[in-house]
Amino acid sequence: MREFKLYTDSTCDLPGEIVEAYDITVVPTEVYLSSERYLDFPDERELNKKEFFEVVKGGVMPSTAVIPPARFYEYFEQDIQQGFDILYIVFSSGLTTTKQNALIAVDDLSEIYKDGSITIIDSLSASLGEGLLVYHAAKLKQQGKTIEEIVEKIEQIRQRLCVWFTVDDLQQLKRGGRISPTAAAVGGALNIKPLIFIDNDGKLVSVERVRGRKAALDTLVNKVKTGAVDSPEQTIFIVHANCSEECDYLKQQIESQIEVKEIVIGMMGPVIGAHTGAGAIGLAYLSE
């Protein structure tokens, strides 16, 4: 049996210490600020997350570009040449063409390297929803599971994955064309906070609207409280866009109301943050 490498992309928002501890290869996505191009690495070597959100909060409109096939080819080839197979958990195909570009690289590589294999799992999720699947895959790999065994298990876990977000700044959604200027103005005046769910097709769906930031956070807590199964055995992920105090509040409320194995906190990266703006916060957990 050939050894294999575990891959994901920078939209997974996994903390750098987890990426390093489990030897996860993260393919970076491009982010643009005022025409300057940056690659989003987990160690923030080109773009600091906190500085990114401060710039965005100041009014700069960021943009992102999907990972091109050539970058996938470069990354994959390095490990295939060294005799490794690859298991890649990719950003939701319901939100981007990242998976299609990766498959282009896989097709090209398969013509040259007949022995190596590259397996791609569509996370049908984003941010730490994707990251939670990668985390489980990394633990299974550490236990000595094969690619086939991991794929089977991750596809089962994916069916139970729940990812909820709320955003603080409707103006960023307006700038990105996700809501109308009128909706942003009315929502801002009424202090409306949307609750967004990632559905089974890996797409974002606005499910609820509540008035006030605290009410939005408390609603997220209630989602976990009523929806998480086997919570004492669960690792729950919280991701935030430069709002650590509210993240701490969310963590404390969850811990005070239900028993959980562990809560992992990650800061949202610039790729997802480019669309949510500062102040976004989300949860990833397993339900029925």
Side-chain angles (χ1 to χ4, degrees):
M1 183 180 70
R2 286 164 59 101
E3 293 186 43
F4 68 94
K5 295 284 189 178
L6 179 60
Y7 271 66
T8 187
D9 41 67
S10 58
T11 55
C12 75
D13 289 340
L14 277 172
E17 56 268 24
I18 290 180
V19 170
E20 185 176 351
Y22 290 98
D23 190 28
I24 302 166
T25 301
V26 180
V27 184
T29 305
E30 296 174 18
V31 180
Y32 291 84
L33 284 173
S34 301
S35 76
E36 289 291 324
R37 172 185 175 272
Y38 303 90
L39 290 178
D40 177 27
F41 291 100
D43 61 8
E44 304 178 39
R45 72 188 74 163
E46 290 193 13
L47 187 58
N48 179 274
K49 292 179 180 179
K50 288 187 177 181
E51 293 176 1
F52 166 80
F53 283 112
E54 289 300 323
V55 170
V56 171
K57 204 169 183 179
V60 174
M61 182 63 191
S63 63
T64 61
V66 71
I67 300 169
R71 186 172 306 135
F72 282 120
Y73 190 102
E74 176 188 355
Y75 270 74
F76 292 159
E77 186 179 39
Q78 292 176 5
D79 283 322
I80 292 294
Q81 282 182 333
Q82 295 180 41
F84 293 101
D85 289 335
I86 290 170
L87 174 60
Y88 172 35
I89 300 179
V90 64
F91 185 28
S92 174
S93 62
L95 297 171
T96 180
T97 58
T98 303
K99 180 182 176 182
Q100 290 93 311
N101 284 0
L103 288 172
I104 292 171
V106 171
D107 287 342
D108 290 344
L109 285 164
S110 65
E111 295 296 318
I112 302 171
Y113 303 98
K114 305 296 184 181
D115 295 332
S117 72
I118 302 172
T119 303
I120 297 178
I121 302 176
D122 190 340
S123 71
L124 296 176
S125 193
S127 190
L128 279 185
E130 177 186 356
L132 184 60
L133 297 182
V134 178
Y135 179 73
H136 279 281
K139 285 192 166 293
L140 290 167
K141 182 177 185 292
Q142 193 177 62
Q143 295 167 16
K145 303 297 185 183
T146 65
I147 286 181
E148 293 75 19
E149 289 171 327
I150 295 174
V151 168
E152 181 180 5
K153 185 63 176 178
I154 293 303
E155 287 180 343
Q156 292 172 358
I157 293 172
R158 185 180 62 190
Q159 294 176 349
R160 302 170 53 207
L161 178 63
C162 279
V163 182
W164 289 92
F165 286 94
T166 186
V167 300
D168 191 41
D169 183 10
L170 296 179
Q171 291 302 312
Q172 189 66 20
L173 295 180
K174 182 199 77 173
R175 294 186 195 108
R178 297 183 183 273
I179 62 174
S180 69
T182 301
V186 172
L190 297 177
N191 199 22
I192 298 297
K193 308 298 179 185
L195 291 174
I196 300 166
F197 184 72
I198 299 182
D199 69 12
N200 291 337
D201 295 321
K203 297 180 180 180
L204 300 178
V205 180
S206 181
V207 178
E208 298 179 43
R209 293 175 177 83
V210 297
R211 182 170 293 182
R213 180 68 160 172
K214 184 176 181 297
L217 297 178
D218 289 340
T219 303
L220 289 180
V221 174
N222 194 54
K223 296 295 183 186
V224 178
K225 185 178 177 180
T226 58
V229 293
D230 300 324
S231 62
E233 303 301 319
Q234 274 217 52
T235 296
I236 292 173
F237 279 27
I238 301 176
V239 64
H240 70 97
N242 202 26
C243 52
S244 57
E245 289 185 7
E246 290 159 309
C247 182
D248 289 341
Y249 170 82
L250 195 62
K251 179 176 183 289
Q252 291 165 5
Q253 290 300 307
I254 292 172
E255 290 177 332
S256 68
Q257 296 185 41
I258 62 172
E259 183 183 356
V260 295
K261 178 181 179 181
E262 181 186 18
I263 294 179
V264 173
I265 293 176
M267 189 166 178
M268 189 176 289
V271 179
I272 304 298
H275 303 284
T276 65
I281 194 164
L283 287 168
Y285 59 93
L286 300 183
S287 73
E288 299 211 17

